[in-house]
Structures are given as structure tokens and as C-alpha cells.
Amino acid sequence: MAESFSQNIQAAWAAMSGFEIVAVVLAIAYLVLAIKESSWCWYAAFVSTAIYTWLFWDVSLIMESLLNAYYMAMAIYGWYQWRNPAGGEQVSGRPIVRWQLQQHMQAFAVVIVLTFASGYFLTANTGAQLPYLDSFTTWASVLTTYMVAKKVLENWLYWLVINACAIYLYVDRELYLTALLFISYEVMAVIGFIRWYRHYRLQSGDASLATA
């Protein structure tokens, strides 16, 4: 099976368009810059997600395509939030915050309701593949991207779950290079959480916890 996967990766690489290569490179650049809390991450995100909006639509991952269209809008919102935080600080001046348990529970409940609603709709009215899993990754990513824009620490933990689901989704659709990209995202999400958590401890003086 490992040999077959390797062959599929090689075939996908050979067939990959220049646009997809650009999207992958910029997607990695986005995450690296986000870990460093650089607002330049949003420029990379905007171009990468514009390309992926088209790519996912082309392979009938409708919700993933719509998600990337949302990412484009959030790239603009995130850039503004990071460049113009409260107090007038610039770029990475927006402080890292944490959500209380109640906020996480409310967010989770909304994601589950939306997942079942859109999953049912896609099953009944479209030819979408894996509609419920596609819906979950979409709505959870909508929430978590907002958390990134607001610099909520726990966003990295959310991405660990979302990326794991997305890897299965992309392998099923034979988007092997994108699946590899999301495997690297898993590693980078761990790094991102550790880095942001250290910064959070420093900015709070390890005293009272900030909340969104």
C-alpha cells in the first residue's frame, strides 16, 4: 500500500499544474508566517486560496471550494485585524487570547448543527462527495480561521482535528499532494501552538489569562 501511495504521489506531481504548485507553496508560506505572527501571512493566504477555490470546484468538493472563497475574504479581514488591533499597535501587536470553555462548547455546537444541515442538503441536492465530512471540515475551518484572525491560542488545536479529517478527504479525491501538504500542516500546527503558547505566557506575565 505504501508503494502504491508513493506511485500516486509521483504521478500527481508529474500531472500537477503550475497553479497548484503556486497554491501549495503559498499555503506553506501562509502557515510559516502565521506561526511567526507576521501579517504577511494574509497576502500568501489570499492568492493560495483563490487558486484552491477553483481546484476544489473542479473535483466536486463543493464545500471545500466555498470554504476557500471564504478564506479569501478572511485573508482581508485577518490582515486588517493584525494590522489594526485595539490600542493602535501594528502587525503582530494584537495580543494572543484564549477562549473560555463555554465559548468552545458554543462554537462546537454551532459547527455540528451546520455540518448536519449542509451535509443533508448536499446529499439530497448535489453530487458532492463525502458531504458530511466535507461539511464538517468546512464549517470547522470557517470558525477556526476566525479564531486565527482574532489570535485565539486554541486555533492550533482545532486545526489538528480539521487537518486530520481533510487528509482523508483529499486522499479519497486523489489530491495526494494536497494531502501531503496537510500532513505537514499537522506538524506545523503543533509548532504553532507551542510558539503561540510561549508568547502568550510572556505577554500575560503568567498571571491572569486574557480572553477574547
Side-chain angles (χ1 to χ4, degrees):
M1 182 173 180
E3 182 179 354
S4 175
F5 182 77
S6 177
Q7 291 173 346
N8 287 330
I9 290 294
Q10 292 175 11
W13 177 264
M16 189 170 64
S17 69
F19 281 117
E20 189 176 356
I21 293 174
V22 172
V24 169
V25 171
L26 288 176
I28 294 174
Y30 157 73
L31 197 54
V32 171
L33 291 168
I35 289 172
K36 294 181 178 181
E37 301 178 63
S38 169
S39 64
W40 281 95
C41 70
W42 301 110
Y43 294 96
F46 184 86
V47 179
S48 178
T49 54
I51 297 171
Y52 272 122
T53 298
W54 175 78
L55 288 176
F56 289 136
W57 187 273
D58 192 51
V59 294
S60 298
L61 287 177
I62 297 173
M63 292 298 289
E64 290 295 306
S65 180
L66 294 176
L67 172 62
N68 276 269
Y70 164 80
Y71 282 162
M72 291 173 63
M74 284 302 295
I76 298 172
Y77 177 74
W79 175 86
Y80 178 80
Q81 288 291 309
W82 284 27
R83 295 284 298 184
N84 299 280
E89 302 94 337
Q90 292 296 311
V91 188
S92 61
R94 170 173 285 277
I96 297 171
V97 297
R98 299 193 70 173
W99 276 2
Q100 299 295 336
L101 178 60
Q102 183 179 3
Q103 291 171 285
H104 289 294
M105 295 298 292
Q106 291 172 344
F108 179 76
V110 170
V111 168
I112 292 301
V113 170
L114 291 173
T115 292
F116 277 96
S118 60
Y120 176 81
F121 175 83
L122 291 172
T123 300
N125 297 284
T126 75
Q129 302 296 313
L130 301 172
Y132 286 98
L133 183 60
D134 191 9
S135 294
F136 172 74
T137 59
T138 297
W139 293 117
S141 296
V142 165
L143 166 69
T144 309
T145 302
Y146 172 80
M147 293 170 69
V148 175
K150 291 295 188 180
K151 295 187 76 171
V152 178
L153 174 65
E154 292 86 357
N155 86 83
W156 299 106
L157 302 180
Y158 280 51
W159 285 126
L160 284 173
V161 176
I162 296 167
N163 292 340
C165 295
I167 289 167
Y168 175 83
L169 194 64
Y170 299 145
V171 169
D172 182 79
R173 293 290 86 203
E174 300 182 355
L175 294 171
Y176 299 112
L177 288 174
T178 301
L180 278 180
L181 172 65
F182 273 70
I183 290 173
S184 72
Y185 274 10
E186 289 286 71
V187 176
M188 296 172 78
V190 174
I191 297 172
F193 177 79
I194 293 172
R195 181 168 179 138
W196 278 35
Y197 181 70
R198 288 174 178 170
H199 186 186
Y200 173 78
R201 292 273 298 246
L202 287 173
Q203 77 179 22
S204 63
D206 201 20
S208 59
L209 300 182
T211 57

